[in-house]
Amino acid sequence: QKEVEQDPGPLSVPEGAIVSLNCTYSNSAFQYFMWYRQYSRKGPELLMYTYSSGNKEDGRFTAQVDKSSKYISLFIRDSQPSDSATYLCAMSAIGGATNKLIFGTGTLLAVQP
Amino acid sequence: ETGVTQTPRHLVMGMTNKKSLKCEQHLGHNAMYWYKQSAKKPLELMFVYNFKEQTENNSVPSRFSPECPNSSHLFLHLHTLQPEDSALYLCASSLELAGGRYEQYFGPGTRLTVT
């Protein structure tokens, strides 16, 4: 079993739709959760950062963490064509000698105008 | 220049060539990373440097050789590569603090093609 599972998509939605992107994980030690956005031929860009359980909102983006279910989500409201990208979830445990992030494979999102 | 920069952006090399990838971070961070990104696969962590000391080497073949002369610069020296090494190579940096915060910031990557 992979430590982090993410549906690769592709996910195609019309402009203005609400998008839900998800990851599940198996390691209960994970405490830090991140979402990165990666445009074609670019490096990943940090979008959202969450510690432990709960919700975090930033503009049209909301990140949710449910540690009891080992499940994290990213919601995008009023999606725009400029949101078309690959979305990567990443997570890390507390402590350890190195700052090791475990990534999902990424979900490709296409927002159609 | 701001953020994390990488050069070159594209590289085509033969299996017998020697080349180097360069990464520079302008964020005042103290940890730097090399990742390999291949299609349909998660990012693979290759090397980690904290305060210029290598703290992780994820069983990477010796044909990849990292170098971190200071906390702002990171190199990946390449020699005798194989076609399966063709991928996007990403550099990242982060600020290591006691008690955590683990965001990593990535550069644009070097698209490597081995012929």
Side-chain angles (χ1 to χ4, degrees), chain B residues 13-61:
Chain B
M13 58 187 289
M15 289 191 285
T16 58
N17 291 159
K18 289 184 179 181
K19 296 286 184 183
S20 295
L21 310 184
K22 179 183 175 182
C23 175
E24 185 173 357
Q25 60 94 3
H26 310 267
L27 299 169
H29 290 169
N30 52 19
M32 297 187 77
Y33 313 78
W34 280 116
Y35 286 89
K36 176 184 179 182
Q37 188 176 35
S38 305
K40 310 284 186 196
K41 294 175 70 175
L43 267 72
E44 299 174 49
L45 179 64
M46 300 175 73
F47 302 103
V48 181
Y49 278 83
N50 279 312
F51 296 99
K52 301 187 295 179
E53 299 296 323
Q54 186 180 128
T55 57
E56 186 138 351
N57 176 338
N58 270 0
S59 303
V60 179

Side-chain angles (χ1 to χ4, degrees), chain A:
Chain A
Q1 183 187 10
K2 293 180 184 176
E3 275 194 286
V4 178
E5 298 273 3
Q6 185 174 10
D7 187 336
L11 179 62
S12 182
V13 301
E15 183 175 353
I18 297 174
V19 176
S20 172
L21 303 167
N22 312 294
C23 287
T24 58
Y25 62 95
S26 57
N27 188 346
S28 57
F30 288 146
Q31 295 278 3
Y32 297 93
F33 303 92
M34 280 142 275
W35 285 95
Y36 286 84
R37 177 175 62 196
Q38 186 174 21
Y39 290 114
S40 180
R41 304 188 184 280
K42 303 280 188 182
E45 169 196 8
L46 181 63
L47 201 56
M48 298 285 282
Y49 172 96
T50 311
Y51 170 69
S52 194
S53 286
N55 294 0
K56 185 173 184 178
E57 189 173 320
D58 184 1
R60 296 184 295 110
F61 298 89
T62 300
Q64 284 186 355
V65 175
D66 182 349
K67 290 188 67 184
S68 62
S69 302
K70 298 191 180 68
Y71 188 87
I72 68 170
S73 301
L74 178 71
F75 296 96
I76 308 174
R77 292 185 301 279
D78 188 24
S79 56
Q80 303 296 310
S82 58
D83 296 326
S84 299
T86 296
Y87 290 80
L88 303 165
C89 64
M91 45 200 80
S92 179
I94 286 181
T98 60
N99 177 4
K100 188 171 182 177
L101 287 182
I102 308 299
F103 284 85
T105 52
T107 299
L108 178 61
L109 171 66
V111 180
Q112 308 297 332

Side-chain angles (χ1 to χ4, degrees), chain B residues 10 14 24 27 33 48 57 60 63 67 72 82 91 93 111:
Chain B
H10 301 274
E24 185 173 357
L27 299 169
Y33 313 78
V48 181
N57 176 338
V60 179
R63 57 186 185 269
E67 178 189 359
S72 298
Q82 304 298 309
C91 174
S93 69
R111 174 68 61 184

